[in-house]
Amino acid sequence: MNAVTIEPATGLLCLSRALASELLPFEHAAIIHPSDTRTAAIFRGSWFNPDRRCWEDNTFAAHGGNVEEAVARGTPRFVTMNAFRTRSACFKSDWRENPWKETQNLAALQAVWTELDFHDKPAWKHLSPAEMIFHVIERIRSRGWPLPTYILCSGSGLHVVWLHTRVSPRKAMGIWKALQQALNDAFIDMGRDKAAMSATTNLRLAGTKNEGRPVSILWPVHVDEIVRHDFDELCRAILPYTVDEARAYKAKLREQKTARQARIAAPTGTPRLTGTTFYATLLADLDKVMTDRFPGVVDDGHRNEMLFIHARVWAWLMEPDELIARIKAEAPRFGFTQREALTHMRSVINRAKSACNVGRGQADPRYKIGPQRIRVDLGITAREAKRLDLRMLIPPSLRRARAAERAEKSRRARGAASRAEQQSVRLEHGREAIRLREVEGLTRIQIAERLGGVSPSYVDKAVKEAKAVALIRPKRARKTKEELNEDSLEAEILDQKRERRIADREAEAIAAAAMAGSHDSSRYMSNDAGALVAAESPAYHGDIHGVAPPSSEEHERLVSGLAGRPFSVSAPRQHANEEARRRHAWWTDHLRQLTRSLAEGRSASAR
DNA sequence: CGACTTCTGCTAAGTGTCAA
DNA sequence: TTGACACTTAGCAGAAGTCG
């Protein structure tokens, strides 16, 4: 009896009680590509070419109804999981002999899958494929996902496949990709093969051999237990967001962009920034550097480099005619004759000329030149950039410092108080609180009231910090400004130094006091949370908050960091905030699963 | 009761991105 | 480049709890 037969009346597939592990290649192909489909299944195999006396790749295609005949004819070892249009890769050739296996020729999406190469993963490599299936199913169950249609042993790894109702790539490719990604992301630690995720992938056929090892379906046991899922049901069960939520998110992004564009279009006090302002600022910086380094004529060793940089920037600011005129006019400043300058800058001029004839969508041939490149080429240091008050030719450190300055200025303009101010006020309060307690014998509640209705916790903290600062032993008294000479520069510098030193020591003492007790738990970890947990802690008991699920790479690091180490997860705590609660639940659940699978991996390896 | 910790909302600080 | 804004991180503060 065949495991898979076709119902004559309906043309539909009949699955018998036969063992799935004994499925033949054509039966497996017929399950993936049902007989009622008019789209193409593309097969790949190899055949012995008697003329050339070697094995050659053989790719061919068949309709769902012709799978048996095609497989018998071509003896393939692979079949595409999705279906293609009956079009040929070459003009005038037959699609059956020369199928077009590319994304743009996809006719129907009908499966999602993950290929697991677990044999090189430390936590899993000791397991046999049959043992591994247990863990795969367990993981799928723990996520509440539908069980796969089948799990096939490819001879080296596992193919976990969910066949689903056919959907059009044009309508559903985005969702299908998200589904495929979500499934595969769940198996990164088990060695999911990134290269086998594309919609055009072909996978091994059951009943064939892979380097002598049999390829067969290990789960489910019987052919009639094989089920095809509803695509929408799969999406609902597996995707973290619904299609509507994803649409709403995209709409929000569009809205934000429109709002930003409207804001920019509106007239403001600040100058409107354009490509011209960009290059003009760059040029201003460049001129400052050149005037400073070469007050007269640029010396021989640098003239070509300097003129080349200038010419490339000018090319973005003016028409070719103006560029030529400018090069001629500036030539003496760079130590060139007009003729020499034009010769040396020929390529810049030619590119500027051809840029005038560039059509839409074509690349601009002018040399792209950015501030960082110029800065490195000219070896401009932070000190030089600061001294010349450069705006663009500055190192990243200075750029960051300027951005921070701007942000602070903007905050102050909005009336925000600085942390230093808050801290110095608190220090004064702490000193006053100590005095009130020791001299007037007030309780902390009374002190809190006396300090203007602050909280008792605030008093605690203020006193703690004031005590820490009081413990700083005064160093040998130095000469005062009066003693030295009130107006001397030396006195001023010494005074500044002393003030800075005192401030530094106070800050250190406050920081040390804060560290003496238990410090704030790190509630908001970066996206590196996984790696941080793995690296920092053999048994991490702290809470994890405000953390987005990790990316694939982060997950990979987390898993490799935790393998073979003791690990525990704290009990979830109450979160008022819905988003925080969701994220915390996600992490707790995720890490528990990980702990369990690692523990199972270890106990299995111990046996 | 004081000293201290834990939890959680709020916000300053800092960084990245965007306009072309 | 500048300025505005989104976003993450770190720190602050108050409430509530624990401990001796």
Side-chain angles (χ1 to χ4, degrees), chain A residues 193-210:
Chain A
D193 185 357
K194 242 180 179 171
M197 285 170 62
S198 130
T200 60
T201 300
N202 50 23
L203 295 178
R204 287 183 184 276
L205 279 166
T208 60
K209 290 270 169 83
N210 177 4

PDB file of all heavy atoms in Angstrom, chain A residues 193-210:
ATOM      1  N   ASP A 193      20.056  27.224  10.396  1.00  0.00           N
ATOM      2  CA  ASP A 193      20.881  27.622   9.268  1.00  0.00           C
ATOM      3  C   ASP A 193      20.283  28.858   8.609  1.00  0.00           C
ATOM      4  O   ASP A 193      19.213  28.778   8.010  1.00  0.00           O
ATOM      5  CB  ASP A 193      20.969  26.454   8.274  1.00  0.00           C
ATOM      6  CG  ASP A 193      21.920  26.758   7.127  1.00  0.00           C
ATOM      7  OD1 ASP A 193      22.457  27.889   7.098  1.00  0.00           O
ATOM      8  OD2 ASP A 193      22.112  25.881   6.276  1.00  0.00           O
ATOM      9  N   LYS A 194      21.018  29.986   8.746  1.00  0.00           N
ATOM     10  CA  LYS A 194      20.539  31.244   8.189  1.00  0.00           C
ATOM     11  C   LYS A 194      20.404  31.151   6.671  1.00  0.00           C
ATOM     12  O   LYS A 194      19.541  31.780   6.067  1.00  0.00           O
ATOM     13  CB  LYS A 194      21.551  32.347   8.519  1.00  0.00           C
ATOM     14  CG  LYS A 194      21.005  33.446   9.377  1.00  0.00           C
ATOM     15  CD  LYS A 194      22.108  34.446   9.616  1.00  0.00           C
ATOM     16  CE  LYS A 194      21.607  35.604  10.453  1.00  0.00           C
ATOM     17  NZ  LYS A 194      22.679  36.480  10.883  1.00  0.00           N
ATOM     18  N   ALA A 195      21.299  30.375   6.049  1.00  0.00           N
ATOM     19  CA  ALA A 195      21.337  30.306   4.589  1.00  0.00           C
ATOM     20  C   ALA A 195      20.131  29.555   4.031  1.00  0.00           C
ATOM     21  O   ALA A 195      19.842  29.645   2.845  1.00  0.00           O
ATOM     22  CB  ALA A 195      22.628  29.632   4.156  1.00  0.00           C
ATOM     23  N   ALA A 196      19.443  28.803   4.876  1.00  0.00           N
ATOM     24  CA  ALA A 196      18.320  27.995   4.373  1.00  0.00           C
ATOM     25  C   ALA A 196      16.984  28.627   4.718  1.00  0.00           C
ATOM     26  O   ALA A 196      15.990  27.945   4.893  1.00  0.00           O
ATOM     27  CB  ALA A 196      18.409  26.587   4.938  1.00  0.00           C
ATOM     28  N   MET A 197      16.959  29.950   4.847  1.00  0.00           N
ATOM     29  CA  MET A 197      15.715  30.614   5.239  1.00  0.00           C
ATOM     30  C   MET A 197      14.964  31.232   4.063  1.00  0.00           C
ATOM     31  O   MET A 197      13.808  31.620   4.207  1.00  0.00           O
ATOM     32  CB  MET A 197      16.007  31.701   6.267  1.00  0.00           C
ATOM     33  CG  MET A 197      16.300  31.146   7.656  1.00  0.00           C
ATOM     34  SD  MET A 197      16.917  32.403   8.773  1.00  0.00           S
ATOM     35  CE  MET A 197      15.542  33.533   8.823  1.00  0.00           C
ATOM     36  N   SER A 198      15.634  31.349   2.940  1.00  0.00           N
ATOM     37  CA  SER A 198      15.015  32.061   1.822  1.00  0.00           C
ATOM     38  C   SER A 198      13.812  31.272   1.284  1.00  0.00           C
ATOM     39  O   SER A 198      13.752  30.049   1.391  1.00  0.00           O
ATOM     40  CB  SER A 198      16.055  32.262   0.720  1.00  0.00           C
ATOM     41  OG  SER A 198      15.549  31.855  -0.516  1.00  0.00           O
ATOM     42  N   ALA A 199      12.870  31.993   0.680  1.00  0.00           N
ATOM     43  CA  ALA A 199      11.642  31.376   0.175  1.00  0.00           C
ATOM     44  C   ALA A 199      11.921  30.407  -0.966  1.00  0.00           C
ATOM     45  O   ALA A 199      11.098  29.566  -1.287  1.00  0.00           O
ATOM     46  CB  ALA A 199      10.668  32.453  -0.278  1.00  0.00           C
ATOM     47  N   THR A 200      13.098  30.529  -1.593  1.00  0.00           N
ATOM     48  CA  THR A 200      13.395  29.664  -2.739  1.00  0.00           C
ATOM     49  C   THR A 200      14.214  28.427  -2.334  1.00  0.00           C
ATOM     50  O   THR A 200      14.644  27.667  -3.196  1.00  0.00           O
ATOM     51  CB  THR A 200      14.189  30.435  -3.812  1.00  0.00           C
ATOM     52  OG1 THR A 200      15.404  30.880  -3.204  1.00  0.00           O
ATOM     53  CG2 THR A 200      13.429  31.631  -4.324  1.00  0.00           C
ATOM     54  N   THR A 201      14.419  28.262  -1.050  1.00  0.00           N
ATOM     55  CA  THR A 201      15.236  27.145  -0.561  1.00  0.00           C
ATOM     56  C   THR A 201      14.670  25.795  -1.010  1.00  0.00           C
ATOM     57  O   THR A 201      13.453  25.613  -1.058  1.00  0.00           O
ATOM     58  CB  THR A 201      15.270  27.173   0.976  1.00  0.00           C
ATOM     59  OG1 THR A 201      15.826  28.406   1.378  1.00  0.00           O
ATOM     60  CG2 THR A 201      16.081  26.024   1.558  1.00  0.00           C
ATOM     61  N   ASN A 202      15.560  24.868  -1.318  1.00  0.00           N
ATOM     62  CA  ASN A 202      15.103  23.486  -1.475  1.00  0.00           C
ATOM     63  C   ASN A 202      15.704  22.629  -0.364  1.00  0.00           C
ATOM     64  O   ASN A 202      16.818  22.873   0.089  1.00  0.00           O
ATOM     65  CB  ASN A 202      15.392  22.915  -2.861  1.00  0.00           C
ATOM     66  CG  ASN A 202      16.821  23.136  -3.284  1.00  0.00           C
ATOM     67  OD1 ASN A 202      17.683  23.316  -2.459  1.00  0.00           O
ATOM     68  ND2 ASN A 202      17.057  23.117  -4.590  1.00  0.00           N
ATOM     69  N   LEU A 203      14.950  21.656   0.087  1.00  0.00           N
ATOM     70  CA  LEU A 203      15.390  20.800   1.192  1.00  0.00           C
ATOM     71  C   LEU A 203      15.381  19.347   0.722  1.00  0.00           C
ATOM     72  O   LEU A 203      14.743  19.005  -0.279  1.00  0.00           O
ATOM     73  CB  LEU A 203      14.473  20.990   2.400  1.00  0.00           C
ATOM     74  CG  LEU A 203      14.491  22.376   3.062  1.00  0.00           C
ATOM     75  CD1 LEU A 203      13.493  22.436   4.217  1.00  0.00           C
ATOM     76  CD2 LEU A 203      15.870  22.765   3.561  1.00  0.00           C
ATOM     77  N   ARG A 204      16.068  18.511   1.482  1.00  0.00           N
ATOM     78  CA  ARG A 204      16.215  17.100   1.091  1.00  0.00           C
ATOM     79  C   ARG A 204      14.879  16.353   1.115  1.00  0.00           C
ATOM     80  O   ARG A 204      14.024  16.620   1.960  1.00  0.00           O
ATOM     81  CB  ARG A 204      17.205  16.403   2.017  1.00  0.00           C
ATOM     82  CG  ARG A 204      18.630  16.811   1.757  1.00  0.00           C
ATOM     83  CD  ARG A 204      19.611  16.054   2.627  1.00  0.00           C
ATOM     84  NE  ARG A 204      20.946  16.580   2.383  1.00  0.00           N
ATOM     85  CZ  ARG A 204      21.734  16.177   1.377  1.00  0.00           C
ATOM     86  NH1 ARG A 204      21.333  15.226   0.547  1.00  0.00           N
ATOM     87  NH2 ARG A 204      22.925  16.721   1.205  1.00  0.00           N
ATOM     88  N   LEU A 205      14.773  15.412   0.205  1.00  0.00           N
ATOM     89  CA  LEU A 205      13.571  14.584   0.121  1.00  0.00           C
ATOM     90  C   LEU A 205      13.730  13.344   0.993  1.00  0.00           C
ATOM     91  O   LEU A 205      14.801  12.722   1.010  1.00  0.00           O
ATOM     92  CB  LEU A 205      13.357  14.147  -1.326  1.00  0.00           C
ATOM     93  CG  LEU A 205      12.690  15.165  -2.242  1.00  0.00           C
ATOM     94  CD1 LEU A 205      12.862  14.751  -3.700  1.00  0.00           C
ATOM     95  CD2 LEU A 205      11.203  15.291  -1.906  1.00  0.00           C
ATOM     96  N   ALA A 206      12.665  12.973   1.674  1.00  0.00           N
ATOM     97  CA  ALA A 206      12.670  11.741   2.457  1.00  0.00           C
ATOM     98  C   ALA A 206      12.863  10.558   1.519  1.00  0.00           C
ATOM     99  O   ALA A 206      12.436  10.595   0.349  1.00  0.00           O
ATOM    100  CB  ALA A 206      11.362  11.611   3.213  1.00  0.00           C
ATOM    101  N   GLY A 207      13.528   9.522   2.000  1.00  0.00           N
ATOM    102  CA  GLY A 207      13.722   8.332   1.190  1.00  0.00           C
ATOM    103  C   GLY A 207      14.973   8.397   0.333  1.00  0.00           C
ATOM    104  O   GLY A 207      15.259   7.475  -0.427  1.00  0.00           O
ATOM    105  N   THR A 208      15.738   9.519   0.434  1.00  0.00           N
ATOM    106  CA  THR A 208      17.007   9.612  -0.314  1.00  0.00           C
ATOM    107  C   THR A 208      18.145   9.378   0.671  1.00  0.00           C
ATOM    108  O   THR A 208      17.910   9.102   1.845  1.00  0.00           O
ATOM    109  CB  THR A 208      17.161  10.997  -0.974  1.00  0.00           C
ATOM    110  OG1 THR A 208      17.140  11.996   0.049  1.00  0.00           O
ATOM    111  CG2 THR A 208      16.037  11.252  -1.965  1.00  0.00           C
ATOM    112  N   LYS A 209      19.371   9.520   0.193  1.00  0.00           N
ATOM    113  CA  LYS A 209      20.545   9.335   1.048  1.00  0.00           C
ATOM    114  C   LYS A 209      21.375  10.617   1.051  1.00  0.00           C
ATOM    115  O   LYS A 209      21.441  11.329   0.061  1.00  0.00           O
ATOM    116  CB  LYS A 209      21.420   8.186   0.499  1.00  0.00           C
ATOM    117  CG  LYS A 209      20.792   6.803   0.663  1.00  0.00           C
ATOM    118  CD  LYS A 209      21.195   6.206   1.989  1.00  0.00           C
ATOM    119  CE  LYS A 209      20.413   4.961   2.347  1.00  0.00           C
ATOM    120  NZ  LYS A 209      20.906   3.761   1.767  1.00  0.00           N
ATOM    121  N   ASN A 210      22.014  10.892   2.199  1.00  0.00           N
ATOM    122  CA  ASN A 210      22.928  12.026   2.316  1.00  0.00           C
ATOM    123  C   ASN A 210      24.272  11.457   2.751  1.00  0.00           C
ATOM    124  O   ASN A 210      24.452  11.077   3.901  1.00  0.00           O
ATOM    125  CB  ASN A 210      22.383  13.009   3.367  1.00  0.00           C
ATOM    126  CG  ASN A 210      23.326  14.185   3.601  1.00  0.00           C
ATOM    127  OD1 ASN A 210      24.350  14.310   2.933  1.00  0.00           O
ATOM    128  ND2 ASN A 210      22.967  15.030   4.557  1.00  0.00           N
TER     129      ASN A 210
END
